[in-house]
Amino acid sequence: MNLLKALATVGGMTFISRLLGFVRDTLIARIFGAGMATDAFFVAFKIPNLLRRISGEGAFSQAFVPILSEYRKQRTPEATKALINHVASLLGLFLVAITIVGMLAAPLIVRLTSPGFVHDPAKFALTTELLRITFPYILFISLVSMAGGVLNAFSKFQVPAFTPVWLNLSFITAAIFIAPHFHNSVYVLAWAVFVGGIIQLLYQLPYLQEIGMLPRYALNFEDEGVRRILKLMGPAIFGVSVAQISIVLNNIFASFMPTGSVSWLYYADRLMEFPTGVLGVALGTILLPSLSKAHVDKSSAEFSLLLDWGLRLTFMLAIPAAVAMAVLSKPLVASLFYYGKFTAMDVLQTERALIAYSLSLLGLIMVKVLAPGFYARQNVKTPVKIAIFTLVVTQVMNVAFLQLTPLQHAGLALSVGLGACLNATLLWVTLQKTDAYQPQPGWLLFLLKLLIAVTVMALVLHAAATWSGDWLAMATLTRMSHLAGIVVLGMSVYFAALGLLGFRPRDFMKRVAK
């Protein structure tokens, strides 16, 4: 299997999903702007969506895929199918219970995650009602995550990567065709989350049937594989989700800030999710099964080569994306969200958050590559210790930025960014100290060439964005066409510079056994 080709496939599917996500958020910004209704909805959506980020792109896969890969390699197909049946049955019962408790405890959850809303009874009541509608999404998306883990283990990467498209289509359909018929149309967005979760699950079932791994109810608490997965999953939830937990804690701080702060952080975070999803999630998705196989085969050299390959791609693609996001922060926010009720002040405040978040991009994507290096070896203690330390440091920075600087919500975004970089650095150093990863020769020259290419790209982007004039005064089509042209120009300049410096696509080809 060609990993670069698999990365392009998964990244392409994720690109479609993220693109539709931008369409979704543009519609929400145009219809609702950044106010009480969006603050309430984004909190109600953030809670179940956090579990998507943790399980769909992190903890469940990190715990489940290595054990499943081991079963596929060392045991019979019948034993593998039995493991899937037992995990699905136990997970399903647990999720039903969690969903019922969550819906009943919605006021308490809102009080804990957004305590600032308590002082605004209308906002608190609206958030509670919306959360009760969106909370069952946890049930659907967690089962989707398990199905995706099975499909990824069988190298069916494109199906889980395309699955999120259905949620975005549910949002877009609801916003365009249903919301206009309701007085308080923010409720329509909440129901779009509910319906989108069901559609995503139904979409994956035929593909599970195709590979003969569609789960059947078979509860077995004594299954050794299930116990091992549960033992790994608990710490893994925390270990791979520090940035997301930090965002939830930031939400608590932001709930005490002026109305709109939660929304500004949300819109900036959505822009960050584009490169994080297209590259970070895609890399983590394709690397985990290959790393797990290398560990089972006791091939330490192949294990190290896989990590080195993933890290080089991360640096080559994440650094220019982060720089471009900071340089083009105003054109990006204005082009995507400056419509309807989304004001010039909203553009400015979202832009500030985006610049701060851009510092986190390299760290966030590195974590997606490095964390599988631990979980493929079924090592949960080390990344959890690093995660706890990082989370504590992040919250200390939150308090410091809020108390000592005028950054406000941008300070919260900055602490997430610096925390992600700290987390990635500690993971990288620890993998080297344990001899799980040894950098291949040529890193210093590699980074020097990247620095030259990124600098040239940044200068060109800044000049082009400045030459375009006042982005808020442009007509919609003019803004979009200018932004598209500048993005294409920046990409062309960057890759042309890499080509002149000696980079070739064949240098990043990597093949592994299926």
Side-chain angles (χ1 to χ4, degrees):
M1 179 176 65
N2 187 328
L3 285 185
L4 190 60
K5 183 178 179 181
L7 176 64
T9 300
V10 176
M13 295 294 183
T14 308
F15 177 83
I16 294 172
S17 173
R18 293 298 193 263
L19 194 61
L20 288 173
F22 281 138
V23 174
R24 173 190 88 188
D25 290 330
T26 299
L27 287 171
I28 293 175
R30 183 166 190 162
I31 296 171
F32 299 98
M36 187 190 81
T38 53
D39 280 0
F41 170 72
F42 291 144
V43 168
F45 183 40
K46 188 184 294 290
I47 294 167
N49 198 40
L50 172 65
L51 191 59
R52 172 190 68 81
R53 294 179 178 181
I54 292 174
S55 60
E57 301 167 359
F60 186 82
S61 294
Q62 303 286 23
F64 180 55
V65 172
I67 303 297
L68 182 60
S69 298
E70 178 186 314
Y71 267 61
R72 288 194 66 207
K73 181 75 175 179
Q74 299 180 347
R75 307 200 186 190
T76 63
E78 291 74 21
T80 303
K81 178 67 186 309
L83 174 69
I84 293 172
N85 289 341
H86 297 156
V87 171
S89 301
L90 181 60
L91 182 64
L93 288 177
F94 173 76
L95 290 170
V96 169
I98 286 294
T99 300
I100 293 172
V101 171
M103 294 175 70
L104 293 175
L108 177 60
I109 294 172
V110 174
R111 190 179 295 272
L112 291 174
T113 58
S114 302
F117 287 12
V118 175
H119 304 296
D120 187 335
K123 183 186 285 189
F124 181 83
L126 178 61
T127 307
T128 300
E129 292 176 14
L130 295 176
L131 180 59
R132 285 197 168 116
I133 300 171
T134 62
F135 207 90
Y137 184 71
I138 289 178
L139 167 64
F140 305 132
I141 201 60
S142 296
L143 293 176
V144 166
S145 300
M146 181 189 168
V150 174
L151 292 166
N152 286 332
F154 282 77
S155 300
K156 302 289 185 181
F157 299 115
Q158 68 274 16
V159 178
F162 185 80
T163 299
V165 166
W166 296 109
L167 176 64
N168 291 325
L169 290 176
S170 177
F171 266 115
I172 293 169
T173 302
I176 294 176
F177 299 106
I178 302 177
H181 300 287
F182 289 83
H183 173 66
N184 195 347
S185 52
V186 73
Y187 285 94
V188 174
L189 296 180
W191 282 110
V193 175
F194 183 94
V195 174
I198 296 175
I199 296 174
Q200 288 180 91
L201 181 59
L202 293 176
Y203 170 69
Q204 291 189 336
L205 297 184
Y207 295 97
L208 290 174
Q209 180 66 45
E210 183 181 307
I211 61 174
M213 292 295 162
L214 183 65
R216 298 287 187 270
Y217 183 79
L219 196 61
N220 184 350
F221 293 99
E222 304 302 320
D223 189 299
E224 174 247 352
V226 172
R227 291 187 172 186
R228 289 170 61 196
I229 291 170
L230 291 176
K231 184 178 179 181
L232 289 172
M233 187 176 173
I237 288 175
F238 199 83
V240 302
S241 307
V242 170
Q244 306 309 327
I245 294 172
S246 294
I247 290 173
V248 170
L249 294 175
N250 282 358
N251 197 71
I252 295 176
F253 286 106
S255 69
F256 291 100
M257 294 181 180
T259 295
S261 296
V262 172
S263 300
W264 298 327
L265 286 169
Y266 171 83
Y267 288 122
D269 181 52
R270 287 295 299 157
L271 282 165
M272 282 297 302
E273 278 193 19
F274 191 84
T276 304
V278 172
L279 179 59
V281 175
L283 269 172
T285 297
I286 66 171
L287 275 175
L288 182 57
S290 299
L291 288 169
S292 300
K293 182 180 182 301
H295 175 68
V296 171
D297 292 341
K298 303 186 185 305
S299 177
S300 56
E302 177 66 9
F303 193 96
S304 184
L305 284 171
L306 283 166
L307 284 175
D308 197 82
W309 175 82
L311 286 170
R312 288 187 187 240
L313 275 178
T314 297
F315 274 76
M316 188 176 72
L317 299 176
I319 292 178
V323 171
M325 195 159 288
V327 174
L328 298 179
S329 55
K330 185 173 183 177
L332 282 167
V333 175
S335 298
L336 294 171
F337 303 128
Y338 186 48
Y339 308 100
K341 295 183 179 181
F342 201 88
T343 66
M345 175 59 71
D346 296 328
V347 172
L348 174 63
Q349 300 296 352
T350 304
E351 176 193 352
R352 292 177 62 207
L354 180 59
I355 292 172
Y357 269 144
S358 67
L359 295 175
S360 69
L361 186 59
L362 179 61
L364 287 172
I365 297 178
M366 283 182 67
V367 170
K368 300 287 187 184
V369 174
L370 294 169
F374 290 93
Y375 291 100
R377 297 185 297 150
Q378 300 171 33
N379 174 2
V380 296
K381 291 183 179 179
T382 302
V384 167
K385 289 178 182 178
I386 292 173
I388 293 172
F389 176 75
T390 302
L391 185 59
V392 171
V393 172
T394 301
Q395 299 317 304
V396 171
M397 287 190 290
N398 268 343
V399 175
F401 289 143
L402 291 177
Q403 295 294 325
L404 304 176
T405 74
L407 292 173
Q408 291 193 317
H409 68 286
L412 300 179
L414 181 60
S415 67
V416 170
L418 296 176
C421 293
L422 175 63
N423 191 12
T425 300
L426 293 176
L427 289 173
W428 192 354
V429 170
T430 305
L431 280 171
Q432 292 185 61
K433 283 185 176 180
T434 57
D435 291 327
Y437 166 59
Q438 294 300 321
Q440 297 301 299
W443 264 97
L444 187 59
L445 182 60
F446 173 79
L447 291 175
L448 179 61
K449 291 179 178 180
L450 282 186
L451 179 61
I452 295 172
V454 168
T455 301
V456 173
M457 179 202 72
L459 292 173
V460 170
L461 289 178
H462 178 72
T466 304
W467 174 82
S468 295
D470 185 357
W471 286 85
L472 298 185
M474 294 181 190
T476 299
L477 290 179
T478 303
R479 273 203 306 266
M480 296 300 290
S481 61
H482 276 223
L483 177 63
I486 291 174
V487 169
V488 171
L489 174 64
M491 292 175 60
S492 301
V493 168
Y494 177 66
F495 285 109
L498 288 182
L500 291 173
L501 291 168
F503 283 72
R504 297 293 182 270
R506 64 175 178 272
D507 298 334
F508 296 90
M509 294 293 181
K510 178 68 179 172
R511 303 194 70 88
V512 296
K514 257 194 175 183

